[in-house]
Amino acid sequence: MTQTDEKTPARILLIDDHPLLRRGITQLLDMEDSMTLAGEASNAQEGIRLAGELDPDLILLDLNMPGTDGHETLRKLRDDGFPGRIVIFTVSDAEDDVVAALRAGADGYLLKDMEPEDLMSRLHQAAVGKLVISDRLTTLLADALRHQHTPEAEGPDYASLTPREKDILRHIAEGLSNKMVARRLDISEGTVKVHVKHLLKKLGLRSRVEAAVWAVHEGYAENS
């Protein structure tokens, strides 16, 4: 299951080595009609096992865990073919951690100092297919994407995109998944994937999350 809808509660798996944090998140989920706890794990090995057994809609994953950390856990889950949403939940706002997680297949990156109500809102958005990133990280990530290009390269070139690619980029910048973009534009999800692949290549970016953050930061989100 890759994403849920408005009628079915999203099933969340927590992977975090801090018992108090897991208890706090569990209590928050108990008060939500749109989300429910599928399971919890205190380490990567247990989390990976539960992901396969429970098939949750969304995994909330800590980065800094003893033994196998969140980065390696994320890579393992994606390598194993886990199709659901994976959102990083961490204290780290380091540029390297943010970029590495998104490039490894994370669908969001949230910081643990956010307000509980904001966290629940972001998790609901993630569960229905939207990307979620803590507000203060968007500028950091956009700057990182700009600096990854060599001086000879002028960075992502919006003008190189076709009208359809620009339209899809705008929808991605809204935080929509490929499936949701396909519904909006009345085309197949496979067609969206092909367009996303092409626009990422043209822009010199590695993931749709990077493209979304770049488009928002550069002011292209509102372009048609």
Side-chain angles (χ1 to χ4, degrees), residues 69-174:
D69 67 11
H71 287 297
E72 183 59 31
T73 304
L74 172 61
R75 286 191 289 270
K76 177 64 175 174
L77 286 166
R78 290 310 190 199
D79 287 346
D80 288 349
F82 176 72
R85 315 287 289 175
I86 302 177
V87 173
I88 301 300
F89 190 47
T90 179
V91 298
S92 175
D93 59 359
E95 176 183 306
D96 289 347
D97 281 337
V98 179
V99 173
L102 297 178
R103 287 180 173 170
D107 299 291
Y109 196 106
L110 301 176
L111 299 175
K112 288 183 176 179
D113 62 357
M114 66 194 309
E115 293 295 328
E117 296 80 5
D118 191 20
L119 172 62
M120 290 298 102
S121 175
R122 296 298 182 94
L123 290 183
H124 177 69
Q125 292 173 6
V128 297
K130 293 188 176 184
L131 65 91
V132 289
I133 300 175
S134 286
D135 292 338
R136 79 169 189 256
L137 297 178
T138 56
T139 298
L140 177 150
L141 182 56
D143 288 343
L145 299 180
R146 185 180 298 110
H147 295 156
Q148 78 180 12
H149 296 275
T150 63
E152 291 77 14
E154 296 183 357
D157 181 13
Y158 180 77
S160 69
L161 303 182
T162 66
R164 174 61 91 184
E165 289 166 351
K166 290 178 181 178
D167 199 19
I168 289 176
L169 177 62
R170 179 174 60 83
H171 284 83
I172 290 176
E174 291 180 24

